Amino acid sequence: MTKRALVTGVTGQDGAYLSQLLLEKGYEVYGVVRRSSHFGVADHRLRWLGVDKDVRILDGNLSDLSSLIRNVEQAKPDEVYNLAAQSFVASSWQQPILTGNITGVGVTNVLEAVRIAAPGARFYQASSSEMYGKIQEAAQSETTPFYPRSPYAVAKLYGHWITVNYRESFGLHASSGILFNHESPLRGIEFVTRKVTDGVARIKRGLQSELRLGNIDAKRDWGHAKDYVRAMWLMLQQDVADDYVVATGLTTTVRDMCKIAFEHVGLSIDDHLVIDPAFFRPAEVDVLLGNPAKAKAKLGWEPLISLDQMIREMVDADLARIAG
Ligand code: F7E
């Protein structure tokens, strides 16, 4: 029997890589897309991976429960992956209510649609390492207390706990993946890795001379999205639903990540990097470092792509984009 998956946030980085993975595994993939006048632009990541023709697009919105019920009725999914969110932390101070409605309460809408229309389906919630915020333990695991530092992180915490609650209240097979930062050539341009790789490519090609960043002392545990969507899928193949940290177990400053990008094209960070207070956040998450021991032991999951490899891949993709 062909398995069927429903993916919200299908036009995002993770939605595109997850669709590719599921299609390779023989799934029928349905993607929820919110209506806008820009769809030809919105599906560019699916096109980049060559899977746009294979994903069946459904019109739905995380703030509209009846649309989600119809999406679930139509897709009849075995697995539901909730990847949709307002996912840019910095914007969450500018749009805190929208962030709460979509990134937080939107999760309940998806869970309700599953509970009403496909209670036997397995559910994945995209939780975030941002929930650890002001960290309470040097290496964060599934048992580390949370301390969110942005409206985004507060909303993700709600989404995480409502997932746990629906598992415990209604017996849904609902799992939460606490994913640390994960990047790729398909990362949105506003996130720091892609901003850096795109900036470095432009500087290399003489299109700009400086790269303006905020807090370059912040440290993140960065992995590759392609590795991380594999962990999502593995979670839903387990007999029992659970929560898992997905991380590399290594942490690097924004500055050192930047150096990898500049050095890859033979340039020096000191000649081009400008610190701009406009990119500092009202409250910062200074350092994140995940402990992926449980994912390794129970899912047999391990990241395969290093930060160095990933940043070089991203710079090369941005150089090619500019050339094209
Ligand atoms: O920032 C610092 C910034 O925007 C990383 C999302 O996927 O991962 C992501 O959230 C760090 C922060 O990602 C600039 O202050 C310095 O300390 O790439 P980012 P994020 O906020 O960590 C988590 C796991 C998610 O769940 C989120 O959805 O870099 N930084 N200068 C900068 N960041 C940006 N964006 N731009 C700068 O110029």
Side-chain angles (χ1 to χ4, degrees):
M1 275 276 283
T2 304
K3 277 199 180 180
R4 302 157 73 98
L6 180 66
V7 181
T8 72
V10 75
T11 56
Q13 166 188 265
D14 295 5
Y17 280 112
L18 179 65
S19 296
Q20 184 185 46
L21 178 84
L22 294 172
L23 288 164
E24 280 167 10
K25 291 185 181 297
Y27 281 64
E28 254 175 45
V29 179
Y30 293 80
V32 180
V33 176
R34 67 179 191 279
R35 208 213 79 79
S36 97
S37 51
H38 311 294
F39 187 68
V41 182
D43 74 344
H44 69 96
R45 295 185 175 90
L46 295 171
R47 279 189 271 124
W48 204 79
L49 293 178
V51 296
D52 53 307
K53 301 277 186 297
D54 302 318
V55 175
R56 298 151 201 241
I57 298 300
L58 303 175
D59 184 355
N61 193 302
L62 252 66
S63 66
D64 186 333
L65 174 60
S66 64
S67 74
L68 294 172
I69 293 172
R70 272 189 287 278
N71 293 158
V72 172
E73 284 173 347
Q74 204 173 337
K76 298 184 184 56
D78 300 292
E79 297 171 10
V80 176
Y81 295 85
N82 182 39
L83 311 185
Q86 190 301 95
S87 66
F88 187 38
V89 173
S91 287
S92 76
W93 281 280
Q94 185 60 33
Q95 299 186 26
I97 297 167
L98 176 132
T99 303
N101 285 341
I102 302 301
T103 306
V105 179
V107 183
T108 311
N109 284 334
V110 182
L111 282 164
E112 276 294 285
V114 170
R115 184 181 155 216
I116 291 166
R122 296 182 172 192
F123 176 83
Y124 172 85
Q125 167 58 15
S127 287
S128 165
S129 56
E130 282 294 298
M131 301 189 305
Y132 296 116
K134 191 170 173 184
I135 56 166
Q136 304 293 299
E137 260 180 321
Q140 299 89 53
S141 74
E142 296 78 8
T143 55
T144 303
F146 298 117
Y147 193 136
R149 292 271 282 171
S150 62
Y152 168 81
V154 172
K156 276 288 178 189
L157 204 47
Y158 173 91
H160 175 70
W161 282 117
I162 199 71
T163 302
V164 173
N165 181 259
Y166 269 52
R167 179 167 77 218
E168 294 176 354
S169 303
F170 304 117
L172 288 192
H173 191 295
S175 293
S176 170
I178 306 173
L179 269 55
F180 283 62
N181 298 53
H182 46 286
E183 322 290 313
S184 74
L186 297 183
R187 190 52 143 152
I189 199 93
E190 65 274 40
F191 297 92
V192 75
T193 53
R194 183 70 206 296
K195 180 174 173 183
V196 166
T197 62
D198 175 70
V200 164
R202 284 174 188 282
I203 291 168
K204 181 69 183 172
R205 292 287 172 248
L207 298 172
Q208 69 188 53
S209 59
E210 55 180 37
L211 175 63
R212 305 184 82 85
L213 295 178
N215 177 17
I216 59 169
D217 295 321
K219 296 176 90 173
R220 288 293 183 275
D221 180 331
W222 276 296
H224 198 297
K226 204 169 177 181
D227 279 335
Y228 285 34
V229 298
R230 204 171 62 247
M232 298 176 186
W233 177 78
L234 282 167
M235 283 177 219
L236 297 204
Q237 309 317 306
Q238 306 307 304
D239 291 337
V240 179
D242 204 346
D243 308 321
Y244 297 89
V245 160
V246 178
T248 68
L250 299 168
T251 191
T252 307
T253 59
V254 171
R255 183 201 315 271
D256 287 344
M257 177 273 294
C258 240
K259 271 193 194 151
I260 299 171
F262 276 106
E263 282 170 12
H264 181 53
V265 295
L267 295 173
S268 164
I269 184 172
D270 300 322
D271 297 332
H272 303 283
L273 185 62
V274 177
I275 302 302
D276 185 339
F279 296 109
F280 280 76
R281 297 174 177 182
E284 177 63 286
V285 172
D286 296 318
V287 53
L288 290 172
L289 167 64
N291 172 0
K294 181 176 171 183
K296 189 174 177 187
K298 297 211 167 163
L299 304 177
W301 177 86
E302 263 182 314
L304 302 175
I305 306 166
S306 72
L307 177 63
D308 261 56
Q309 280 174 298
M310 178 178 77
I311 293 297
R312 290 198 298 263
E313 178 196 359
M314 291 172 68
V315 172
D316 289 342
D318 280 319
L319 285 167
R321 272 192 190 100
I322 290 169

